[in-house]
Amino acid sequence: MPKKNIFVIGLDEANLPTLNEVPNARELTFHPLLTIEELQGGEVSVAELLAKAEKLLDAIVGYWDFPVSTLVPMLAERYGTRSTSLESVVKCEHKYWSRLEQEKVTDRHPRFGRVDLSAEKPSPPEGMNFPMWLKPALSYSSELAFGVDDMTEFEEAVADIRDGISRVGRPFEYILDRLALPPEMDGVGGEVCLAEEEMSGIQVAVEGYVDHGEVTVYGALDSINYPGSSCFLRHQYPSTLPEPAIRELHDVTRRVMEQIGMEAATFSVEYFYDPHTGRISLLEINPRHSQSHAELFQYVDGVPNHHCMVSLALGRDPRMPHRAGHYAMAAKWYHRWFADGVVHNVPTPDDLRRIEREIPGTRIDIVPSEGSRLSDLPGQDSYSYELAHIFTGGDTEEELREKYDRCVAALGLTFDETAPGGRDEKNG
């Protein structure tokens, strides 16, 4: 039986091992289709990427945000492979359009509105109160997303967004031009700034897929921030939220994804849960599963969530096993630095494999290379720099934390520190 050729847009070394752990992986061959640097370096040209990606294939998949998320349905339409529609992806990726769709079926979202960047003196949307978040309609990894508490911070954030929004917003216009937009999206475009009132509580992500019109949620994960910061410390699976909250998350997710109109695709939806009121509030919809969670599902359920993506693309059964892994829980940790600097003593791949052998149930991906300046790293958020992603599996939360602490100590990274370069030190 000939192997199936799966072309993965933005295939990276960190995810190749988990892709090869999906069921029946021996029947599949994964091929890289465009590199991360080609996809996210500088200003993105979707037209050029499409021209470069013309290959014969059995299925095409991707687990990154724009432009990968939009390339998958466009290439699938061209080559006749299985995928959701481009419109359903853009309804998720375009944060303003996504909010318009959400409010048609649920009130579990924050108050929101557009900020007119062309105005001489932009102001918050009418009726909205501080604190709030400002963000472009589309961005990478919270790039150009700012929490603001007053008009001074609002004006500073608007200036930064004005300066940087075109890098992703302009190529996004190419995608919008391919769609028949509804009246409420007339004149909105891709270079739009969204304001949303701040949400608080426990952040939780829900993962699932749509197959033959049926929405399936297969997992919920908690996201825990660094103390006093909006930056992730770890994702932890499974969620520790009470069962009534989990049921409501599933219900709202099903209604919203049916409204979006996805098909033959995975998704992840991020929420906030307020433990004092029991209320959930939808943060954003991602038209893909999270590659950040692949090891977590493998540790706990026995199969990485890449399984659903690959199976849907091939027209196979995407169902996940349940609690068939080696550990009761798992976490992905973000080892961060909150000031600029040059990184030294970066472990080699052999060093990392040694640490993983010494601390079973761990995997480590280093972000910077030896001698890198943190402020030069691509895809960082507005407040911190990622040093390493550390995956841990264990039977208790205490065991997860103990393994993480041991890994951080074993890495032995050192820094020549400099000024934060405009980063918000209060989050450090």
Side-chain angles (χ1 to χ4, degrees), residues 43-54 66-75 77-78 86-87 90 94 97 138 165-181 188-191:
E43 186 170 310
V44 178
S45 171
V46 177
E48 291 179 9
L49 293 178
L50 276 174
K52 189 171 182 179
E54 292 183 357
F66 180 85
V68 173
S69 58
T70 53
L71 284 170
V72 169
M74 287 192 288
L75 287 171
E77 182 181 15
R78 178 175 297 181
L86 178 62
E87 179 178 296
V90 177
H94 195 293
W97 194 0
L138 185 73
I165 195 171
S166 65
R167 186 175 85 84
V168 178
R170 188 177 296 127
F172 199 29
E173 297 281 0
Y174 173 87
I175 302 299
L176 293 173
D177 288 344
R178 300 172 68 94
L179 301 174
L181 299 175
V188 175
E191 296 185 48

Side-chain angles (χ1 to χ4, degrees), residues 240-256:
T240 59
L241 265 58
E243 189 56 36
I246 297 293
R247 285 199 299 270
E248 186 177 12
L249 289 169
H250 286 212
D251 175 63
V252 173
T253 299
R254 289 191 183 97
R255 284 189 277 131
V256 169

